[in-house]
Amino acid sequence: DHQAQGEFFDILTQDPLTGLGQRRVFEQSLEQEIVRSARRGRTFVLAIVGVDEMSRLNREWGKHVGDEVLKQVAKALKAGLRAEDLTARHAGDQFSALLPETTREEAEPILNAVRSAVANVEFFVQGQSRQVTVSIGAIEYNSDVKNAGDAIDRVEKKQLAAREGGRNRVMF
């Protein structure tokens, strides 16, 4: 049955909580983008979006609220990026974004808009309004990037630097 095949495909390729792509599928697309960009002399931006202080949020607000935070961050990410951009759940509190044929100068306002949109979402916990922030690490592709693993290592370091540099920021 065709519908059952489609549902099975979604289970294999999508994160069940956020509806974004799964990391494995994203990394395959990233590998293809590296090859394409190298061949055509083009660039792209790879970003990792991490929810700030997620462990504390889960501890203080409860895991059910933490799950809602992840859903809302995924929603803001999808809404803030362009149709041709790819997104995925990277790890527990992290998301990946691939912006093809995009320079740092083009990506920076897009990523800052996503960061700002997340900071403006209100979560009501036990009758109180709460907000969360994200720290975004990003790299612009260049020919020094060997493969998807290398690109991800580089962007994860940028995301950690954004977090350690005060949170709620984009760092290239």
Side-chain angles (χ1 to χ4, degrees), residues 22 80-81 90 103 113 133 163 169:
Q22 288 191 3
L81 297 179
H90 185 73
T103 65
T133 59
R163 225 175 232 179
R169 65 188 62 222

Side-chain angles (χ1 to χ4, degrees), residues 80-101:
L81 297 179
R82 304 160 305 182
E84 67 268 22
D85 299 332
L86 298 175
T87 57
R89 176 102 179 260
H90 185 73
D93 66 348
Q94 294 179 324
F95 302 90
S96 306
L98 175 63
L99 291 72
E101 297 186 28

Side-chain angles (χ1 to χ4, degrees), residues 54-101:
M54 190 68 189
S55 297
R56 183 183 61 78
L57 299 180
N58 278 330
R59 203 172 44 253
E60 292 179 11
W61 299 359
K63 187 147 177 30
H64 64 287
V65 177
D67 285 350
E68 189 58 34
V69 166
L70 293 174
K71 289 179 194 176
Q72 291 300 320
V73 170
K75 187 176 173 182
L77 188 58
K78 280 193 281 193
L81 297 179
R82 304 160 305 182
E84 67 268 22
D85 299 332
L86 298 175
T87 57
R89 176 102 179 260
H90 185 73
D93 66 348
Q94 294 179 324
F95 302 90
S96 306
L98 175 63
L99 291 72
E101 297 186 28

Side-chain angles (χ1 to χ4, degrees), residues 16-36:
L17 180 66
T18 64
L20 296 181
Q22 288 191 3
R23 182 176 176 164
R24 175 177 38 85
V25 176
F26 181 87
E27 288 179 1
Q28 290 169 347
S29 298
L30 174 59
E31 201 68 64
Q32 292 169 351
E33 189 63 29
I34 289 170
V35 170
R36 186 175 23 256

